[in-house]
Amino acid sequence: MDAEDAPTSTPNLSDSAPRSARLPDSVRALVAPRTERDRERRRILALCAPFLVLAAVAGIYPLAEMARISVSEARFVSTGFSVDAYVDLATNQYLRRAAWNTLWFGLATTAVSLLAATATAHALQKYTLPAEDLLVTLLSFPVSLPGIVAAFMIIVLLGNTGLLTNAVAWFAGESAIDLAVATGVAGLFIAYCYSMIPRALLLLRGSYAEVNERAEEAARSLGASPARTFYHVTLPQIKPGLIGAFILTFRTALAIFGTVLVLQAMRVWTYEIDYVLSNGFQIQLAAAMAVVWFVFVLAFTVLGLKYTSAEVGL
Amino acid sequence: MSRITIDDVTKRFGDTTAVDGVSLDIDDGEILGVVGPSGCGKTTTLRTLAGFETPTSGRVLFDGDDVTHRPPETRNVGLVFQSYALFENMTVRQNVEFGPKMQGVSGDERRERATDLLSMLGIPELADRDPATLSGGQRQRVGLARALAIEPHILLLDEPMTGLDAKLKTRLREEVGDLLSELDVTALYVTHDQVEAMEMCDSIAVMNDGQVEQVGTPREVYESPASSFVSEFVSLDVPDFAFVDGAP
């Protein structure tokens, strides 16, 4: 046997195999997909990758850091472990009042917003309205307005020199200053609804578009008035949309800040977070408040979705 | 049941005339079939009878009583749709009891009516089922029971067999025809299927372009068409069929 023909070493299969063969099956299926299902998984991963990166960098990391700060012993460095901020949260009567204000005001404005949005969605879907496209544009416009601008608009309308205030004062023969409600609870209520109704409307219009109008007509022909038709036939069909709108709108109410900052009619959670940061940089307390806010909203959304068939993102 | 009169009814939607001077009489217990091509105005005529469209001109009378401007819920009209339009949030029994409930009928009587109707339609075992789990034929029977439960002045059927398979359609056609005759129901049966109308109806109105071209018994319409349109429409692919009077 020639030296050239003699085997120099035993062939190593793993060396000659493609590198991807060394990867775990699940990863290999993504790197070198062989089936259509594998290719589909790879497409899903590619489509979701930007969001996953964003969620990790701008969501999960800051949240974890915020939770860490809330139990830090030091203010400027996350060190040690202390639940003082949470004890402060539980015992501070001003913060308890802010929590209560946030909840009742959020629920009340959500209820009113849902009522107004349901009525509007009903009108938009059931009837041919003049200048409907313009109307829809105007109704959806506040979604893109910052809370501060919404508050400013309320002042322009309902403040001491507001258009509506002065018109009512002129008709009633009273002082505009006495009638102005912009910086009171009523003004804040209207400003909240102004921001929340379009959000509820977006979801409810989608639900209304899927309502079986023939079933509504059947109910009318069977003797149900329009109100009873709505209650027995329409409402069950839009229920998932209503619950979704409730979750979305209530979360919006809990998160409103700019409007409260300008109108200053009531101290709510977001305002208090800003306050504790602006006054003495109580960052552990602010972080604890943010953690409580996040956990509450997450639990509320998860429970809301668990017990309903509503389809709304977390 | 009642005698129904549509008196010179015209319905316009903007510049479009959907129904143009239509006059029809439906005798007590009669089944009138309204046939014609798509867009001829037959469904608008039905909706005008039900109260969902108010005529631009003309009148609708139930037993001589002018109901032209009455809302649908006060007309006591039973509606059966092609798309069934069952209340998916209710059981079959609740669907059937819905009309009587809206009319203030007592609970016991409602239950009795629903049980009787479901038995009559051969589906008593479906009473507690969710409508979503039923087949097309079963759903259409429930729709019919629901419409009949209010003991309507008139039963309006809007293409109720469209979408069903041919075999089921033939069977349902016979069953529903027998049932309506047995109950002596006054009915308006809208369909684009001339064979269906000829087999099930006592008389037929052929509509074209918003107008009634001819009204007569199926035999009259088939054997003596009043216009070339009627002749063409009823003679299209008509296989062997039995007229409602049973004569060959």
Side-chain angles (χ1 to χ4, degrees), chain A residues 138-154:
Chain A
L138 288 174
L139 285 168
S140 60
F141 190 59
V143 172
S144 55
L145 278 185
I148 290 174
V149 177
F152 182 67
M153 288 169 77
I154 294 297

Side-chain angles (χ1 to χ4, degrees), chain B residues 4 7 46 76 121 127 143 154 218 232 241:
Chain B
I4 308 297
D7 180 20
L46 178 142
N76 199 31
L121 284 154
I154 183 169
E232 211 170 292
F241 65 86

Side-chain angles (χ1 to χ4, degrees), chain B residues 11-19:
Chain B
K11 179 64 187 178
R12 291 193 193 91
F13 298 100
D15 295 334
T16 309
T17 303
V19 173

Side-chain angles (χ1 to χ4, degrees), chain B residues 173 195 199 222 237-243:
Chain B
R173 206 185 279 169
V195 180
E199 286 199 352
Y222 186 66
D237 300 325
V238 178
D240 287 341
F241 65 86
F243 285 114

Side-chain angles (χ1 to χ4, degrees), chain A residues 214-215 217-218 220-221 232 236, chain B residues 47 52 72-73 77 81 87 89:
Chain A
R214 290 282 176 265
E217 287 183 349
R220 292 285 304 278
S221 74
H232 289 289
Chain B
R47 291 176 61 78
F52 294 113
E73 61 268 26
V77 164
F81 293 98
F87 308 135
N89 55 313

Side-chain angles (χ1 to χ4, degrees), chain B residues 86-115:
Chain B
L86 299 181
F87 308 135
E88 303 286 344
N89 55 313
M90 303 178 198
T91 63
V92 165
R93 177 181 288 282
Q94 287 168 333
N95 265 272
V96 181
E97 287 186 15
F98 183 84
K101 186 179 172 183
M102 293 300 110
Q103 293 177 332
V105 174
S106 71
D108 287 345
E109 196 183 331
R110 289 202 306 260
R111 270 188 293 281
E112 199 180 316
R113 270 195 215 179
T115 304

